Amino acid sequence: MNNRWLYRSRWTLIIVLAVCIPAGHTQGNSGQFHSSSDGQQQRSSTVLGKYEPPIKVSFVRESGEDLQRMIDQLPDETLTNNRWTRLYEQELGIQIHYDWIATGDVYHQKMGVSLAAGRFPDVVKVNPYQLRQLSNAGLIEDLTEVYRTHASPLTKKILEAEGRGAFDAATIDGNLMAIPESSSSIETAQYLWIRTDWLERLGLQPPETIEDLLHISKAFTEQDPNGNGRQDTYGLALTSYLWDPVMGATGFMAGYGAYPSIWIIDKNGDLTYGGIQPEVRTALEVLQKLYLEGQIDPDFSYKNGSKAYRLVQDGQIGMLYGEQWAPFMLQTTRDTDPDAQWQAYPIVAESNRALLVPLRSNTGQYFAVKKGFAYPEIVVKLMNMHLDKNWGEEAEYETYYNDDSRAVWMLSPVTPFPGTKNMDAYLQIRDARVTGDFSSLENEALAIHKRIVAYESEGLKSGWGWKQTYGPTGAFSIADTYDQNGQLLNDEFTGGITDTMIDRQTILRDLQLEAYMNIILGSPIDEFDQFVQNWRKLGGDEITSEVNAWFKKR
């Protein structure tokens, strides 16, 4: 089946469904209290120390290939019995229990069914839409007082480091309805990753403008950069989800002044959605040209990140856009081709355009507590412990966060972290490199420095990715330059989910992705204009009004 018609038919279905759903429609439900035999909610005699006797708290858990692969390398540890579950029980008297564990789409399907039915665990990790729906239905606890009285100074400092935006998004009708797992927007900055061995082989220079990039893409496609005598390479990688943090289109579109997934300020000083601006139309036309000329994998629209990555691993991709962690994925290309070299570069813009690097709000997960659960403070106490063990004064970083390049932090059911920790580590290493004195490094910065040194002096394979991210010319050196040059463009809307977004945002995002994909695959560019009209009619104008009401109030 032709890809273009597949996406067109799905788009039509989305429009039909959207028209049938009235804006503002939500389902209500009453929560069930967990009560003792005398009908009174019971609390432990202590809220600050260890629960005696221990209490059990239920979660559900998403697993995956990366997590399972790591667990297979850890003797005597499983997802349900590991260093973190044992620590929480020994230090806090909290026993972690998982109602169920599932992977990928199965997890999200089960989660959707469980939330809709009101049958979810004591503590549940939700996205902003699910949070708003659970709060509107009266199914979760107000955590305002819990956070105020139980969050440690370190927890408050870390979670609020980038301002109150994440907490504003979790605050509904004046009440804090969940604890955000906040992060830093700088983590979402995009970089251009290029096979430098291919550049050298073809006698090309790194790009300074997007016109240079298009020239390189064409050469990588047509001039046999892998030297196998076949035309089996592609200039640019893309996945079926155009906003993927690695191999997505966000960084490419920014080169045309297009910011399709954030809210920006227009010439009148109001907020407007980047995804409907004319600059997007221009970027889509160029992507369509690349696709039709064979510079993009002809089957990319069917491939998620892991499937698209197989082309990278097989040495068929020359460039991709991605966040700072991309080299840990790219590193496996060196297993099959030891000569493969990747390097991060700043994203590039049209020769007559100033470069801006879009940053999305990076808090998308919140921990809510089921209504009636007798110990709502547990979620905060778990976060306190997680942060203290990894970034407190007596942190055991290489035991509880990164054990020999294994991300053991993922074994914990709650995983808060300092949003700027990666940038902070880079700056500490950078400053130590300047003075030549590395004795002041500790915890994360020290662990990263050790791996870079081991790569440079002993050829430690895992150290390559760390150097590409934290080294003198790594991704964070570029992020530092972005910041110094005033090139970072923040998402201007951090107000959480508006009333219309509850029912319409997912539909509008699907509509946007389908329209963009149709155009890249060959539909007339006029389809963008039709998409803009549909977006506005199917709830976009209402959302824009709500977003601007928040903006003016703020």
Side-chain angles (χ1 to χ4, degrees), residues 235-257:
L236 185 67
L238 280 183
T239 74
S240 59
Y241 183 64
L242 295 176
W243 320 134
D244 267 338
V246 173
M247 297 186 288
T250 301
F252 180 87
M253 288 190 168
Y256 293 91

Side-chain angles (χ1 to χ4, degrees), residues 196 198-207 212 215-220 223:
T196 53
W198 286 14
L199 286 177
E200 293 172 7
R201 184 172 294 164
L202 300 182
L204 300 170
Q205 296 299 314
D212 295 337
H215 175 70
I216 293 170
S217 175
K218 185 176 180 65
F220 279 179
Q223 296 182 25

